[in-house]
Amino acid sequence: MFIVDSYFTAIVFCFITMLCWGSWANTQKLAGKSWRFELFYWDYVIGIVLFSILSALTLGSNGSEGRSFLADLSQSDSSNIISALIGGIVFNAANILLSAAIAIAGMAVAFPVGIGLALILGVIVNYVGAEKGNPYVLFLGVVFVLAAIIVNALAYKKTNQAAQKVSSKGLLLSLAAGLLMSFFYRFIAAAMDLENFQQPAAGKMTPYTAVFVFSIGILLSNFIFNTILMKKPFEGTPVSYADYFKGKLSVHMVGILGGLIWGLGNSLNLIAAGKAGPAISYGLGQGATMIAALWGVFIWKEFKNAPKGIDRLITAMFLFFVVGLSLIIYAGTSE
């Protein structure tokens, strides 16, 4: 299987993760013009599963190092399989809430608040699970990210006050999503041998196998979570599975593309975790907040009617994120 053998390569992979995790929601925005996010989300999950299978049967099964995907899956302990499945279930619950927040509040708000909170708590959770990197530099970086989240929330509040809109539901959904999102990565990391991807300990999984099991957890839980949401949506009227099958092929493909994009980022992030450590790998990946905010501000124009002074807050937010992410990267070299 393919593995990362240097910290630099791991950081590059984490930046690609950042781009993927911060960009997949654009497909929801594209499909959402005529397509409810509850229906979009089914295609998104299908895309995640498809990518996990593709990567497991290619990069995860070729090469001279490590166990191939099928051999690795067959020897995995039930406890590790359950851990990766739980990771998928927790992620799915969080991501459905995040998708709802995007639909209500927009990318420029849902991502900085939800994923920003997930970054802060997730770095703490993953560092406790595997202490890799300089903790002082790492958590100083987290403080800067927290500052960026606060600045973004202030910008959103001022914009909404000017537009006389009620936004509490979108913010609450973003916070709930961030709280749940901070825990999913730890369950996947616990199922892998982070110290040795070449020859993982017996019963532990390679990243490719863990990603596959994780994606199955997402798919299985979606029959519960998303079915409930389809019947009792946060906004709008209920939708049915009949509505899903009425969708055009092009609309379905947009959702699947979103899942493929997120799945690529997830796989690269877990592959990088062996060299960078789960706290740094996860923290950098969740820098997706900045990427999503860039899309929301400059492409979707979510602050176009904002009052004067908002542009300074948005600039400050990006500066805080850049400093925070830089410190998180440096934490891995200053241990």
Side-chain angles (χ1 to χ4, degrees), residues 80 83-84 86-88 90 121-131 180-194 204 214 270 273 277-279 282:
N80 291 318
S83 183
I86 291 174
V90 172
L121 296 178
V123 166
I124 295 172
V125 169
N126 284 287
Y127 187 83
V128 170
E131 296 182 6
L180 283 173
M181 191 73 75
S182 64
F183 291 100
F184 88 89
Y185 198 90
R186 184 67 225 138
F187 287 105
I188 315 174
M192 303 186 299
D193 185 353
L194 293 170
K204 291 286 187 179
F214 166 78
L270 286 167
Y282 175 85

PDB file of all heavy atoms in Angstrom, residues 80 83-84 86-88 90 121-131 180-194 204 214 270 273 277-279 282:
ATOM      1  N   ASN A  80     -11.743  -2.855  16.952  1.00  0.00           N
ATOM      2  CA  ASN A  80     -11.269  -1.795  16.067  1.00  0.00           C
ATOM      3  C   ASN A  80     -12.275  -1.504  14.959  1.00  0.00           C
ATOM      4  O   ASN A  80     -12.456  -0.348  14.559  1.00  0.00           O
ATOM      5  CB  ASN A  80      -9.917  -2.179  15.469  1.00  0.00           C
ATOM      6  CG  ASN A  80      -8.816  -2.194  16.519  1.00  0.00           C
ATOM      7  OD1 ASN A  80      -8.751  -1.319  17.370  1.00  0.00           O
ATOM      8  ND2 ASN A  80      -7.967  -3.207  16.464  1.00  0.00           N
ATOM      9  N   SER A  83     -14.920   0.551  16.544  1.00  0.00           N
ATOM     10  CA  SER A  83     -14.446   1.908  16.783  1.00  0.00           C
ATOM     11  C   SER A  83     -14.557   2.753  15.515  1.00  0.00           C
ATOM     12  O   SER A  83     -15.027   3.896  15.556  1.00  0.00           O
ATOM     13  CB  SER A  83     -12.993   1.876  17.268  1.00  0.00           C
ATOM     14  OG  SER A  83     -12.529   3.180  17.572  1.00  0.00           O
ATOM     15  N   ALA A  84     -14.114   2.197  14.372  1.00  0.00           N
ATOM     16  CA  ALA A  84     -14.201   2.930  13.105  1.00  0.00           C
ATOM     17  C   ALA A  84     -15.653   3.152  12.691  1.00  0.00           C
ATOM     18  O   ALA A  84     -16.003   4.205  12.154  1.00  0.00           O
ATOM     19  CB  ALA A  84     -13.444   2.183  12.011  1.00  0.00           C
ATOM     20  N   ILE A  86     -18.211   3.479  14.761  1.00  0.00           N
ATOM     21  CA  ILE A  86     -18.725   4.542  15.637  1.00  0.00           C
ATOM     22  C   ILE A  86     -18.254   5.904  15.131  1.00  0.00           C
ATOM     23  O   ILE A  86     -19.002   6.887  15.145  1.00  0.00           O
ATOM     24  CB  ILE A  86     -18.274   4.313  17.092  1.00  0.00           C
ATOM     25  CG1 ILE A  86     -18.976   3.082  17.674  1.00  0.00           C
ATOM     26  CG2 ILE A  86     -18.584   5.548  17.954  1.00  0.00           C
ATOM     27  CD1 ILE A  86     -18.489   2.699  19.059  1.00  0.00           C
ATOM     28  N   GLY A  87     -16.997   5.962  14.670  1.00  0.00           N
ATOM     29  CA  GLY A  87     -16.493   7.201  14.095  1.00  0.00           C
ATOM     30  C   GLY A  87     -17.364   7.672  12.945  1.00  0.00           C
ATOM     31  O   GLY A  87     -17.668   8.866  12.830  1.00  0.00           O
ATOM     32  N   GLY A  88     -17.782   6.734  12.091  1.00  0.00           N
ATOM     33  CA  GLY A  88     -18.661   7.077  10.975  1.00  0.00           C
ATOM     34  C   GLY A  88     -20.021   7.560  11.437  1.00  0.00           C
ATOM     35  O   GLY A  88     -20.591   8.505  10.870  1.00  0.00           O
ATOM     36  N   VAL A  90     -20.783   8.969  14.407  1.00  0.00           N
ATOM     37  CA  VAL A  90     -20.641  10.283  15.047  1.00  0.00           C
ATOM     38  C   VAL A  90     -20.440  11.365  13.984  1.00  0.00           C
ATOM     39  O   VAL A  90     -21.053  12.442  14.041  1.00  0.00           O
ATOM     40  CB  VAL A  90     -19.465  10.282  16.039  1.00  0.00           C
ATOM     41  CG1 VAL A  90     -19.192  11.688  16.557  1.00  0.00           C
ATOM     42  CG2 VAL A  90     -19.759   9.347  17.206  1.00  0.00           C
ATOM     43  N   LEU A 121     -11.767  21.638  19.838  1.00  0.00           N
ATOM     44  CA  LEU A 121     -12.002  20.482  20.704  1.00  0.00           C
ATOM     45  C   LEU A 121     -11.319  19.231  20.159  1.00  0.00           C
ATOM     46  O   LEU A 121     -10.787  18.413  20.919  1.00  0.00           O
ATOM     47  CB  LEU A 121     -13.507  20.238  20.845  1.00  0.00           C
ATOM     48  CG  LEU A 121     -14.317  21.346  21.527  1.00  0.00           C
ATOM     49  CD1 LEU A 121     -15.797  20.980  21.556  1.00  0.00           C
ATOM     50  CD2 LEU A 121     -13.806  21.597  22.936  1.00  0.00           C
ATOM     51  N   GLY A 122     -11.332  19.075  18.827  1.00  0.00           N
ATOM     52  CA  GLY A 122     -10.752  17.883  18.213  1.00  0.00           C
ATOM     53  C   GLY A 122      -9.254  17.791  18.415  1.00  0.00           C
ATOM     54  O   GLY A 122      -8.716  16.703  18.631  1.00  0.00           O
ATOM     55  N   VAL A 123      -8.556  18.918  18.325  1.00  0.00           N
ATOM     56  CA  VAL A 123      -7.109  18.921  18.563  1.00  0.00           C
ATOM     57  C   VAL A 123      -6.819  18.466  19.989  1.00  0.00           C
ATOM     58  O   VAL A 123      -5.905  17.669  20.233  1.00  0.00           O
ATOM     59  CB  VAL A 123      -6.517  20.323  18.306  1.00  0.00           C
ATOM     60  CG1 VAL A 123      -5.098  20.421  18.874  1.00  0.00           C
ATOM     61  CG2 VAL A 123      -6.497  20.618  16.807  1.00  0.00           C
ATOM     62  N   ILE A 124      -7.598  18.951  20.935  1.00  0.00           N
ATOM     63  CA  ILE A 124      -7.407  18.551  22.337  1.00  0.00           C
ATOM     64  C   ILE A 124      -7.648  17.052  22.504  1.00  0.00           C
ATOM     65  O   ILE A 124      -6.827  16.329  23.092  1.00  0.00           O
ATOM     66  CB  ILE A 124      -8.342  19.357  23.258  1.00  0.00           C
ATOM     67  CG1 ILE A 124      -7.970  20.835  23.230  1.00  0.00           C
ATOM     68  CG2 ILE A 124      -8.277  18.814  24.694  1.00  0.00           C
ATOM     69  CD1 ILE A 124      -8.957  21.738  23.946  1.00  0.00           C
ATOM     70  N   VAL A 125      -8.767  16.567  21.977  1.00  0.00           N
ATOM     71  CA  VAL A 125      -9.126  15.151  22.101  1.00  0.00           C
ATOM     72  C   VAL A 125      -8.069  14.265  21.458  1.00  0.00           C
ATOM     73  O   VAL A 125      -7.631  13.253  22.038  1.00  0.00           O
ATOM     74  CB  VAL A 125     -10.510  14.883  21.460  1.00  0.00           C
ATOM     75  CG1 VAL A 125     -10.772  13.379  21.352  1.00  0.00           C
ATOM     76  CG2 VAL A 125     -11.611  15.553  22.279  1.00  0.00           C
ATOM     77  N   ASN A 126      -7.603  14.628  20.248  1.00  0.00           N
ATOM     78  CA  ASN A 126      -6.647  13.786  19.535  1.00  0.00           C
ATOM     79  C   ASN A 126      -5.246  13.880  20.119  1.00  0.00           C
ATOM     80  O   ASN A 126      -4.486  12.910  20.066  1.00  0.00           O
ATOM     81  CB  ASN A 126      -6.639  14.158  18.046  1.00  0.00           C
ATOM     82  CG  ASN A 126      -7.851  13.620  17.317  1.00  0.00           C
ATOM     83  OD1 ASN A 126      -7.963  12.427  17.071  1.00  0.00           O
ATOM     84  ND2 ASN A 126      -8.785  14.495  16.986  1.00  0.00           N
ATOM     85  N   TYR A 127      -4.899  15.022  20.716  1.00  0.00           N
ATOM     86  CA  TYR A 127      -3.591  15.122  21.345  1.00  0.00           C
ATOM     87  C   TYR A 127      -3.539  14.271  22.606  1.00  0.00           C
ATOM     88  O   TYR A 127      -2.532  13.610  22.880  1.00  0.00           O
ATOM     89  CB  TYR A 127      -3.243  16.570  21.688  1.00  0.00           C
ATOM     90  CG  TYR A 127      -1.819  16.711  22.178  1.00  0.00           C
ATOM     91  CD1 TYR A 127      -0.767  16.801  21.274  1.00  0.00           C
ATOM     92  CD2 TYR A 127      -1.518  16.706  23.542  1.00  0.00           C
ATOM     93  CE1 TYR A 127       0.551  16.893  21.711  1.00  0.00           C
ATOM     94  CE2 TYR A 127      -0.212  16.805  23.988  1.00  0.00           C
ATOM     95  CZ  TYR A 127       0.813  16.893  23.067  1.00  0.00           C
ATOM     96  OH  TYR A 127       2.128  16.964  23.507  1.00  0.00           O
ATOM     97  N   VAL A 128      -4.614  14.275  23.355  1.00  0.00           N
ATOM     98  CA  VAL A 128      -4.678  13.424  24.548  1.00  0.00           C
ATOM     99  C   VAL A 128      -4.565  11.956  24.149  1.00  0.00           C
ATOM    100  O   VAL A 128      -3.915  11.149  24.824  1.00  0.00           O
ATOM    101  CB  VAL A 128      -5.982  13.676  25.329  1.00  0.00           C
ATOM    102  CG1 VAL A 128      -6.173  12.633  26.423  1.00  0.00           C
ATOM    103  CG2 VAL A 128      -5.985  15.076  25.923  1.00  0.00           C
ATOM    104  N   GLY A 129      -5.186  11.590  23.011  1.00  0.00           N
ATOM    105  CA  GLY A 129      -5.142  10.205  22.544  1.00  0.00           C
ATOM    106  C   GLY A 129      -3.779   9.786  22.041  1.00  0.00           C
ATOM    107  O   GLY A 129      -3.391   8.620  22.175  1.00  0.00           O
ATOM    108  N   ALA A 130      -3.033  10.714  21.420  1.00  0.00           N
ATOM    109  CA  ALA A 130      -1.694  10.415  20.894  1.00  0.00           C
ATOM    110  C   ALA A 130      -0.870  11.694  20.957  1.00  0.00           C
ATOM    111  O   ALA A 130      -0.994  12.562  20.095  1.00  0.00           O
ATOM    112  CB  ALA A 130      -1.776   9.901  19.463  1.00  0.00           C
ATOM    113  N   GLU A 131      -0.009  11.820  21.975  1.00  0.00           N
ATOM    114  CA  GLU A 131       0.741  13.056  22.213  1.00  0.00           C
ATOM    115  C   GLU A 131       1.915  13.167  21.246  1.00  0.00           C
ATOM    116  O   GLU A 131       3.007  12.685  21.506  1.00  0.00           O
ATOM    117  CB  GLU A 131       1.225  13.097  23.659  1.00  0.00           C
ATOM    118  CG  GLU A 131       0.092  13.136  24.672  1.00  0.00           C
ATOM    119  CD  GLU A 131       0.580  13.218  26.100  1.00  0.00           C
ATOM    120  OE1 GLU A 131       1.817  13.352  26.292  1.00  0.00           O
ATOM    121  OE2 GLU A 131      -0.241  13.141  27.020  1.00  0.00           O
ATOM    122  N   LEU A 180     -20.054  17.626  18.041  1.00  0.00           N
ATOM    123  CA  LEU A 180     -20.002  16.220  17.632  1.00  0.00           C
ATOM    124  C   LEU A 180     -18.800  15.934  16.736  1.00  0.00           C
ATOM    125  O   LEU A 180     -18.129  14.906  16.874  1.00  0.00           O
ATOM    126  CB  LEU A 180     -21.293  15.838  16.903  1.00  0.00           C
ATOM    127  CG  LEU A 180     -22.530  15.596  17.757  1.00  0.00           C
ATOM    128  CD1 LEU A 180     -23.753  15.393  16.871  1.00  0.00           C
ATOM    129  CD2 LEU A 180     -22.334  14.381  18.655  1.00  0.00           C
ATOM    130  N   MET A 181     -18.512  16.871  15.821  1.00  0.00           N
ATOM    131  CA  MET A 181     -17.437  16.667  14.851  1.00  0.00           C
ATOM    132  C   MET A 181     -16.077  16.517  15.514  1.00  0.00           C
ATOM    133  O   MET A 181     -15.166  15.892  14.964  1.00  0.00           O
ATOM    134  CB  MET A 181     -17.422  17.847  13.873  1.00  0.00           C
ATOM    135  CG  MET A 181     -16.542  17.667  12.650  1.00  0.00           C
ATOM    136  SD  MET A 181     -17.244  16.506  11.440  1.00  0.00           S
ATOM    137  CE  MET A 181     -18.553  17.500  10.720  1.00  0.00           C
ATOM    138  N   SER A 182     -15.923  17.063  16.703  1.00  0.00           N
ATOM    139  CA  SER A 182     -14.622  17.024  17.376  1.00  0.00           C
ATOM    140  C   SER A 182     -14.239  15.627  17.847  1.00  0.00           C
ATOM    141  O   SER A 182     -13.078  15.387  18.170  1.00  0.00           O
ATOM    142  CB  SER A 182     -14.623  17.990  18.566  1.00  0.00           C
ATOM    143  OG  SER A 182     -15.570  17.590  19.538  1.00  0.00           O
ATOM    144  N   PHE A 183     -15.187  14.693  17.868  1.00  0.00           N
ATOM    145  CA  PHE A 183     -14.910  13.369  18.430  1.00  0.00           C
ATOM    146  C   PHE A 183     -14.757  12.252  17.395  1.00  0.00           C
ATOM    147  O   PHE A 183     -14.173  11.214  17.709  1.00  0.00           O
ATOM    148  CB  PHE A 183     -16.025  12.978  19.415  1.00  0.00           C
ATOM    149  CG  PHE A 183     -16.043  13.800  20.670  1.00  0.00           C
ATOM    150  CD1 PHE A 183     -16.940  14.844  20.819  1.00  0.00           C
ATOM    151  CD2 PHE A 183     -15.144  13.551  21.691  1.00  0.00           C
ATOM    152  CE1 PHE A 183     -16.960  15.619  21.971  1.00  0.00           C
ATOM    153  CE2 PHE A 183     -15.153  14.316  22.851  1.00  0.00           C
ATOM    154  CZ  PHE A 183     -16.062  15.352  22.991  1.00  0.00           C
ATOM    155  N   PHE A 184     -15.240  12.449  16.162  1.00  0.00           N
ATOM    156  CA  PHE A 184     -15.259  11.327  15.218  1.00  0.00           C
ATOM    157  C   PHE A 184     -13.863  10.828  14.863  1.00  0.00           C
ATOM    158  O   PHE A 184     -13.639   9.621  14.731  1.00  0.00           O
ATOM    159  CB  PHE A 184     -16.028  11.716  13.945  1.00  0.00           C
ATOM    160  CG  PHE A 184     -15.195  12.376  12.879  1.00  0.00           C
ATOM    161  CD1 PHE A 184     -14.540  11.620  11.916  1.00  0.00           C
ATOM    162  CD2 PHE A 184     -15.066  13.760  12.825  1.00  0.00           C
ATOM    163  CE1 PHE A 184     -13.781  12.223  10.927  1.00  0.00           C
ATOM    164  CE2 PHE A 184     -14.305  14.376  11.845  1.00  0.00           C
ATOM    165  CZ  PHE A 184     -13.656  13.594  10.889  1.00  0.00           C
ATOM    166  N   TYR A 185     -12.904  11.738  14.715  1.00  0.00           N
ATOM    167  CA  TYR A 185     -11.563  11.379  14.247  1.00  0.00           C
ATOM    168  C   TYR A 185     -10.844  10.476  15.229  1.00  0.00           C
ATOM    169  O   TYR A 185     -10.092   9.579  14.837  1.00  0.00           O
ATOM    170  CB  TYR A 185     -10.773  12.665  14.025  1.00  0.00           C
ATOM    171  CG  TYR A 185      -9.541  12.522  13.161  1.00  0.00           C
ATOM    172  CD1 TYR A 185      -9.619  12.688  11.785  1.00  0.00           C
ATOM    173  CD2 TYR A 185      -8.291  12.260  13.729  1.00  0.00           C
ATOM    174  CE1 TYR A 185      -8.479  12.590  10.990  1.00  0.00           C
ATOM    175  CE2 TYR A 185      -7.160  12.163  12.952  1.00  0.00           C
ATOM    176  CZ  TYR A 185      -7.258  12.325  11.570  1.00  0.00           C
ATOM    177  OH  TYR A 185      -6.127  12.226  10.793  1.00  0.00           O
ATOM    178  N   ARG A 186     -11.098  10.690  16.518  1.00  0.00           N
ATOM    179  CA  ARG A 186     -10.430   9.884  17.539  1.00  0.00           C
ATOM    180  C   ARG A 186     -10.810   8.412  17.415  1.00  0.00           C
ATOM    181  O   ARG A 186      -9.979   7.524  17.624  1.00  0.00           O
ATOM    182  CB  ARG A 186     -10.807  10.420  18.929  1.00  0.00           C
ATOM    183  CG  ARG A 186     -10.104   9.720  20.082  1.00  0.00           C
ATOM    184  CD  ARG A 186      -8.617  10.020  20.064  1.00  0.00           C
ATOM    185  NE  ARG A 186      -7.830   8.821  20.291  1.00  0.00           N
ATOM    186  CZ  ARG A 186      -6.743   8.521  19.629  1.00  0.00           C
ATOM    187  NH1 ARG A 186      -6.308   9.299  18.664  1.00  0.00           N
ATOM    188  NH2 ARG A 186      -6.073   7.443  19.898  1.00  0.00           N
ATOM    189  N   PHE A 187     -12.071   8.136  17.065  1.00  0.00           N
ATOM    190  CA  PHE A 187     -12.516   6.745  16.924  1.00  0.00           C
ATOM    191  C   PHE A 187     -11.810   6.059  15.753  1.00  0.00           C
ATOM    192  O   PHE A 187     -11.469   4.870  15.842  1.00  0.00           O
ATOM    193  CB  PHE A 187     -14.031   6.697  16.706  1.00  0.00           C
ATOM    194  CG  PHE A 187     -14.832   6.999  17.948  1.00  0.00           C
ATOM    195  CD1 PHE A 187     -15.471   8.217  18.100  1.00  0.00           C
ATOM    196  CD2 PHE A 187     -14.940   6.059  18.968  1.00  0.00           C
ATOM    197  CE1 PHE A 187     -16.208   8.507  19.243  1.00  0.00           C
ATOM    198  CE2 PHE A 187     -15.675   6.330  20.118  1.00  0.00           C
ATOM    199  CZ  PHE A 187     -16.304   7.562  20.254  1.00  0.00           C
ATOM    200  N   ILE A 188     -11.586   6.786  14.654  1.00  0.00           N
ATOM    201  CA  ILE A 188     -10.880   6.175  13.523  1.00  0.00           C
ATOM    202  C   ILE A 188      -9.410   5.976  13.872  1.00  0.00           C
ATOM    203  O   ILE A 188      -8.830   4.922  13.608  1.00  0.00           O
ATOM    204  CB  ILE A 188     -10.966   7.062  12.258  1.00  0.00           C
ATOM    205  CG1 ILE A 188     -12.371   7.575  12.039  1.00  0.00           C
ATOM    206  CG2 ILE A 188     -10.503   6.293  11.035  1.00  0.00           C
ATOM    207  CD1 ILE A 188     -12.473   8.560  10.897  1.00  0.00           C
ATOM    208  N   ALA A 189      -8.787   7.002  14.458  1.00  0.00           N
ATOM    209  CA  ALA A 189      -7.371   6.911  14.811  1.00  0.00           C
ATOM    210  C   ALA A 189      -7.113   5.758  15.776  1.00  0.00           C
ATOM    211  O   ALA A 189      -6.087   5.074  15.690  1.00  0.00           O
ATOM    212  CB  ALA A 189      -6.904   8.235  15.429  1.00  0.00           C
ATOM    213  N   ALA A 190      -8.054   5.509  16.701  1.00  0.00           N
ATOM    214  CA  ALA A 190      -7.884   4.427  17.677  1.00  0.00           C
ATOM    215  C   ALA A 190      -7.902   3.054  17.023  1.00  0.00           C
ATOM    216  O   ALA A 190      -7.384   2.084  17.585  1.00  0.00           O
ATOM    217  CB  ALA A 190      -8.984   4.524  18.736  1.00  0.00           C
ATOM    218  N   ALA A 191      -8.498   2.958  15.831  1.00  0.00           N
ATOM    219  CA  ALA A 191      -8.585   1.669  15.140  1.00  0.00           C
ATOM    220  C   ALA A 191      -7.331   1.354  14.336  1.00  0.00           C
ATOM    221  O   ALA A 191      -7.162   0.233  13.841  1.00  0.00           O
ATOM    222  CB  ALA A 191      -9.804   1.666  14.214  1.00  0.00           C
ATOM    223  N   MET A 192      -6.410   2.347  14.212  1.00  0.00           N
ATOM    224  CA  MET A 192      -5.203   2.170  13.409  1.00  0.00           C
ATOM    225  C   MET A 192      -3.963   2.083  14.297  1.00  0.00           C
ATOM    226  O   MET A 192      -3.981   2.533  15.439  1.00  0.00           O
ATOM    227  CB  MET A 192      -5.047   3.344  12.432  1.00  0.00           C
ATOM    228  CG  MET A 192      -6.221   3.560  11.491  1.00  0.00           C
ATOM    229  SD  MET A 192      -5.892   4.856  10.251  1.00  0.00           S
ATOM    230  CE  MET A 192      -5.629   6.286  11.299  1.00  0.00           C
ATOM    231  N   ASP A 193      -2.875   1.551  13.729  1.00  0.00           N
ATOM    232  CA  ASP A 193      -1.578   1.559  14.400  1.00  0.00           C
ATOM    233  C   ASP A 193      -0.820   2.777  13.879  1.00  0.00           C
ATOM    234  O   ASP A 193      -0.120   2.708  12.862  1.00  0.00           O
ATOM    235  CB  ASP A 193      -0.805   0.276  14.095  1.00  0.00           C
ATOM    236  CG  ASP A 193       0.501   0.183  14.868  1.00  0.00           C
ATOM    237  OD1 ASP A 193       0.865   1.182  15.532  1.00  0.00           O
ATOM    238  OD2 ASP A 193       1.168  -0.860  14.807  1.00  0.00           O
ATOM    239  N   LEU A 194      -0.933   3.910  14.561  1.00  0.00           N
ATOM    240  CA  LEU A 194      -0.355   5.161  14.085  1.00  0.00           C
ATOM    241  C   LEU A 194       1.167   5.153  14.084  1.00  0.00           C
ATOM    242  O   LEU A 194       1.797   5.964  13.402  1.00  0.00           O
ATOM    243  CB  LEU A 194      -0.860   6.328  14.944  1.00  0.00           C
ATOM    244  CG  LEU A 194      -2.353   6.649  14.829  1.00  0.00           C
ATOM    245  CD1 LEU A 194      -2.765   7.641  15.913  1.00  0.00           C
ATOM    246  CD2 LEU A 194      -2.685   7.189  13.454  1.00  0.00           C
ATOM    247  N   LYS A 204      -5.040  -4.322  14.355  1.00  0.00           N
ATOM    248  CA  LYS A 204      -5.186  -2.915  13.979  1.00  0.00           C
ATOM    249  C   LYS A 204      -5.370  -2.809  12.462  1.00  0.00           C
ATOM    250  O   LYS A 204      -5.013  -3.712  11.708  1.00  0.00           O
ATOM    251  CB  LYS A 204      -3.963  -2.106  14.416  1.00  0.00           C
ATOM    252  CG  LYS A 204      -3.838  -1.943  15.923  1.00  0.00           C
ATOM    253  CD  LYS A 204      -4.862  -0.954  16.452  1.00  0.00           C
ATOM    254  CE  LYS A 204      -4.638  -0.654  17.923  1.00  0.00           C
ATOM    255  NZ  LYS A 204      -5.609   0.336  18.463  1.00  0.00           N
ATOM    256  N   PHE A 214     -15.194   3.131   8.305  1.00  0.00           N
ATOM    257  CA  PHE A 214     -15.756   4.419   8.705  1.00  0.00           C
ATOM    258  C   PHE A 214     -16.890   4.842   7.755  1.00  0.00           C
ATOM    259  O   PHE A 214     -17.961   5.270   8.196  1.00  0.00           O
ATOM    260  CB  PHE A 214     -14.629   5.447   8.702  1.00  0.00           C
ATOM    261  CG  PHE A 214     -15.070   6.883   8.759  1.00  0.00           C
ATOM    262  CD1 PHE A 214     -15.484   7.454   9.950  1.00  0.00           C
ATOM    263  CD2 PHE A 214     -15.018   7.678   7.619  1.00  0.00           C
ATOM    264  CE1 PHE A 214     -15.863   8.804  10.002  1.00  0.00           C
ATOM    265  CE2 PHE A 214     -15.392   9.011   7.661  1.00  0.00           C
ATOM    266  CZ  PHE A 214     -15.815   9.575   8.855  1.00  0.00           C
ATOM    267  N   LEU A 270      -5.870  10.857   6.949  1.00  0.00           N
ATOM    268  CA  LEU A 270      -5.552   9.707   7.796  1.00  0.00           C
ATOM    269  C   LEU A 270      -4.223   9.070   7.407  1.00  0.00           C
ATOM    270  O   LEU A 270      -3.490   8.573   8.264  1.00  0.00           O
ATOM    271  CB  LEU A 270      -6.685   8.676   7.712  1.00  0.00           C
ATOM    272  CG  LEU A 270      -7.952   9.078   8.475  1.00  0.00           C
ATOM    273  CD1 LEU A 270      -9.116   8.182   8.104  1.00  0.00           C
ATOM    274  CD2 LEU A 270      -7.713   9.040   9.978  1.00  0.00           C
ATOM    275  N   ALA A 273      -1.611  11.096   9.078  1.00  0.00           N
ATOM    276  CA  ALA A 273      -1.607  11.069  10.544  1.00  0.00           C
ATOM    277  C   ALA A 273      -0.458  10.248  11.120  1.00  0.00           C
ATOM    278  O   ALA A 273      -0.017  10.497  12.239  1.00  0.00           O
ATOM    279  CB  ALA A 273      -2.940  10.523  11.057  1.00  0.00           C
ATOM    280  N   GLY A 277       0.998  12.971  13.191  1.00  0.00           N
ATOM    281  CA  GLY A 277       0.268  12.791  14.447  1.00  0.00           C
ATOM    282  C   GLY A 277      -1.180  13.202  14.248  1.00  0.00           C
ATOM    283  O   GLY A 277      -1.473  14.125  13.474  1.00  0.00           O
ATOM    284  N   PRO A 278      -2.116  12.541  14.917  1.00  0.00           N
ATOM    285  CA  PRO A 278      -3.529  12.819  14.687  1.00  0.00           C
ATOM    286  C   PRO A 278      -3.972  14.228  15.048  1.00  0.00           C
ATOM    287  O   PRO A 278      -4.843  14.792  14.383  1.00  0.00           O
ATOM    288  CB  PRO A 278      -4.237  11.770  15.558  1.00  0.00           C
ATOM    289  CG  PRO A 278      -3.232  11.362  16.589  1.00  0.00           C
ATOM    290  CD  PRO A 278      -1.909  11.456  15.889  1.00  0.00           C
ATOM    291  N   ALA A 279      -3.393  14.823  16.102  1.00  0.00           N
ATOM    292  CA  ALA A 279      -3.812  16.169  16.503  1.00  0.00           C
ATOM    293  C   ALA A 279      -3.459  17.198  15.434  1.00  0.00           C
ATOM    294  O   ALA A 279      -4.280  18.037  15.053  1.00  0.00           O
ATOM    295  CB  ALA A 279      -3.177  16.548  17.835  1.00  0.00           C
ATOM    296  N   TYR A 282      -5.406  16.336  12.041  1.00  0.00           N
ATOM    297  CA  TYR A 282      -6.807  16.737  12.162  1.00  0.00           C
ATOM    298  C   TYR A 282      -6.933  18.257  12.185  1.00  0.00           C
ATOM    299  O   TYR A 282      -7.781  18.839  11.501  1.00  0.00           O
ATOM    300  CB  TYR A 282      -7.401  16.138  13.436  1.00  0.00           C
ATOM    301  CG  TYR A 282      -8.813  16.596  13.726  1.00  0.00           C
ATOM    302  CD1 TYR A 282      -9.904  15.959  13.149  1.00  0.00           C
ATOM    303  CD2 TYR A 282      -9.049  17.674  14.579  1.00  0.00           C
ATOM    304  CE1 TYR A 282     -11.203  16.381  13.417  1.00  0.00           C
ATOM    305  CE2 TYR A 282     -10.339  18.104  14.849  1.00  0.00           C
ATOM    306  CZ  TYR A 282     -11.411  17.449  14.272  1.00  0.00           C
ATOM    307  OH  TYR A 282     -12.686  17.885  14.532  1.00  0.00           O
TER     308      TYR A 282
END
